[in-house]
Amino acid sequence: MKILGIDPGTQVMGWGVIETDGDNVSAVGYGAIKVPDKLQPAGKLNLLYTELLKIIRKYQPDNIAVEQPFVARNVHSAFVVGRAQAVALLAAAGKKIPSFEYTPAQVKQRVSNYGASGKEQIQQMVKLMLGMKEIPQPYDAADALAIALCHAQESHLNDLISRT
Amino acid sequence: MKILGIDPGTQVMGWGVIETDGDNVSAVGYGAIKVPDKLQPAGKLNLLYTELLKIIRKYQPDNIAVEQPFVARNVHSAFVVGRAQAVALLAAAGKKIPSFEYTPAQVKQRVSNYGASGKEQIQQMVKLMLGMKEIPQPYDAADALAIALCHAQESHLNDLISRT
């Protein structure tokens, strides 16, 4: 199964694709879409949307996992993240790929088995779990890979539960 | 000039199309897209997106005006409205139609010349300005027409300013 993880942001949107057979997992590709400041809001969203569609076409993920931070620092950042999430969910729906949302606490719990881990610990775990030499850069990509790993763990657990 | 106004929401998205030559203005069409509760978040956004594209194809607006409520009641509603706005802005960008955002205060100011007007006063003004017998229903459509009227006034003012 191939999973595309997305760390939504309107300035920088991290993405990471992993492949897993339930036992082994590896990183297939990752990066971050950076949006020029000078673009209008609609242009920014459109750029994110078209770039995400390209990534989906290239990697053909089976599932897409998006971070859903219920707790934003403030109302304005909630707007911005809400917009970026919408772009990710629309891109998934347009390609008929099932999408899943996870809170940062769920990602931390699944990736480090400890909900209160710091951002850096999560990035170290991503590196270890994917057998990488370095923490993937930029950090938005590492965060996106963590979200994909969270979905892989969740799917694996659900598989185990449904089999018993 | 034809203007599509959009009142963004993820359960109900109001829309209204007006046509104006700078002096006269009339309503061309209006309504609300209602989203079934049972749909997943991505499915809801996709439904709103495809319905908006149909409306754009049918009415071919020159500009699209979207309400941008900077002040949401809370972080969760900011997420939801942010998502709905993103759908509207993406639909506009996908069709290469310029989009404009207005706060509720700007809409009230332009439509009633009084920023502190109540929702019902605005709806009465929409009815009067568009020469309608009744307040357009549902109210989400009336709100969307108010947003379109706000953009018409703003564009007209900008025209006058640029001529002098």
Side-chain angles (χ1 to χ4, degrees), chain A residues 4 15 19 26 32-33 44 46 57 63 100 117 119 124 128 152 160:
Chain A
L4 167 60
W15 63 274
E19 184 146 29
S26 59
I33 307 164
K44 285 182 182 176
N46 198 43
R57 257 195 302 273
N63 284 180
F100 302 83
S117 307
K119 237 174 152 45
Q124 286 292 349
L128 286 172
L160 291 178

Side-chain angles (χ1 to χ4, degrees), chain A residues 40-47 49-50 83 87 90, chain B residues 2-6 13 48-57 60-67 83-101 151:
Chain A
Q40 294 291 309
K44 285 182 182 176
L45 297 178
N46 198 43
L47 178 73
Y49 184 67
T50 50
R83 285 180 172 204
V87 169
L90 264 184
Chain B
K2 249 190 272 178
I3 301 166
L4 167 61
I6 297 174
M13 189 177 280
L48 291 169
Y49 184 66
T50 51
E51 290 300 314
L52 269 185
L53 288 181
K54 279 186 211 165
I55 292 163
I56 292 172
R57 257 195 301 272
Q60 305 277 337
D62 301 290
N63 284 180
I64 294 180
V66 183
E67 194 168 77
R83 285 181 174 206
Q85 284 176 326
V87 169
L89 295 175
L90 264 185
K95 294 281 179 190
K96 302 202 191 308
I97 300 168
S99 57
F100 302 84
E101 296 179 79
H151 180 62

Side-chain angles (χ1 to χ4, degrees), chain A residues 3 12 15 19-20 48 51 55 74 88 98 121-122 127 140 150 163:
Chain A
I3 301 165
V12 180
W15 63 274
E19 184 146 29
T20 175
L48 291 169
E51 290 300 313
I55 291 164
N74 57 53
Q121 276 170 282
I122 296 289
K127 187 185 94 171
D140 308 271
C150 165
R163 267 185 232 162

Side-chain angles (χ1 to χ4, degrees), chain A residues 98-113:
Chain A
S99 58
F100 302 83
E101 295 179 80
Y102 295 98
T103 64
Q106 285 174 305
V107 175
K108 286 172 182 172
Q109 184 68 43
R110 286 278 168 261
V111 174
S112 71
N113 287 318

